[in-house]
């Protein structure tokens, strides 16, 4: 039986679209969300989120998810002035592409995750639209008449 989603309830509890866009970073020439950000959006702990991912690694090919290397993580950690006790990670973070984020939502299998995945996809689409060059309509040759032009004439 399909799960019905209360659109008004999900909009009320949905994160800000721009907030999701700000969490998307460019890493290895791919736009990705980190595991901590996805876990926060899906309202689960990062540990539980990564456990689910590790149990289902077959669902995440290299173009859906990859683990950051030590150098990439060192750059990320250097951006924070201080870390509180117990706030550092034992393991390197995972990075999820748009498709990986959708797959992760399927693993979480909750109404919240389903709702958030829609917003995540919209954020990736919004960023793609901003990065795309403007589309200009093709110029028609002089004297070229389309069927629509013929019906519009009196």
């Amino acid at each position: 039986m399909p799960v019905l989603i209360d659109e008004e309830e999900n909009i009320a509890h949905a994160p800000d679209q721009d907030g999701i866009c700000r969490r998307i970073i460019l890493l290895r020439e791919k736009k990705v969300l980190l595991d901590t950000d996805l876990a926060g959006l899906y309202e689960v702990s990062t540990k539980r989120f990564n456990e689910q991912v590790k149990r289902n690694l077959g669902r995440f090919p290299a173009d859906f998810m990859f683990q950051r290397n030590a150098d990439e993580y060192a750059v990320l950690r250097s951006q924070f002035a201080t870390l509180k006790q117990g706030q550092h990670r034992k393991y390197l973070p995972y990075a999820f592409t748009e498709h990986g984020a959708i797959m992760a939502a399927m693993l979480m299998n909750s109404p919240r995750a389903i709702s958030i995945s829609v917003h995540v996809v919209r954020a990736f689409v919004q960023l793609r639209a901003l990065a795309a060059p403007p589309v200009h309509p093709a110029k028609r040759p002089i004297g070229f008449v389309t069927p629509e032009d013929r019906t519009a004439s009196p």
Side-chain angles (χ1 to χ4, degrees):
M1 181 176 204
V3 176
L4 298 177
I5 299 173
D6 182 2
E7 192 66 30
E8 287 183 20
E9 180 180 326
N10 287 327
I11 290 171
H13 299 312
D16 177 29
Q17 192 75 29
D18 290 333
I20 296 174
C21 286
R22 282 191 295 275
R23 294 177 184 194
I24 297 173
I25 61 172
L26 188 64
L27 186 63
R28 299 184 194 173
E29 299 182 15
K30 295 180 181 181
K31 291 182 181 89
V32 296
L33 277 167
L34 297 179
D35 55 0
T36 53
D37 293 327
L38 276 176
L41 289 170
Y42 297 148
E43 295 182 345
V44 297
S45 70
T46 304
K47 180 179 179 178
R48 182 176 179 290
F49 179 82
N50 285 334
E51 285 172 354
Q52 287 291 88
V53 169
K54 288 176 187 175
R55 285 187 196 123
N56 295 278
L57 281 177
R59 293 179 181 237
F60 295 96
D63 59 328
F64 280 28
M65 175 197 80
F66 55 89
Q67 196 167 21
R68 298 185 75 170
N69 63 37
D71 293 335
E72 293 166 339
Y73 187 55
V75 170
L76 177 69
R77 284 195 62 181
S78 70
Q79 294 175 3
F80 301 107
T82 59
L83 289 173
K84 294 179 184 173
Q85 185 70 23
Q87 295 255 330
H88 59 280
R89 300 176 65 135
K90 290 182 186 178
Y91 306 104
L92 296 172
Y94 289 103
F96 295 84
T97 64
E98 178 178 353
H99 295 97
I102 295 167
M103 188 62 71
M106 291 171 56
L107 291 180
M108 295 298 110
N109 197 23
S110 70
R112 168 82 179 172
I114 293 167
S115 172
I116 294 302
S117 68
V118 171
H119 295 285
V120 168
V121 169
R122 287 179 180 156
F124 275 101
V125 169
Q126 181 179 347
L127 287 178
R128 240 188 335 265
L130 291 173
V135 178
H136 299 290
K139 293 183 180 180
R140 293 191 289 177
I142 296 175
F144 182 79
V145 179
T146 64
E148 294 83 23
D149 293 336
R150 290 186 188 155
T151 57
S153 299

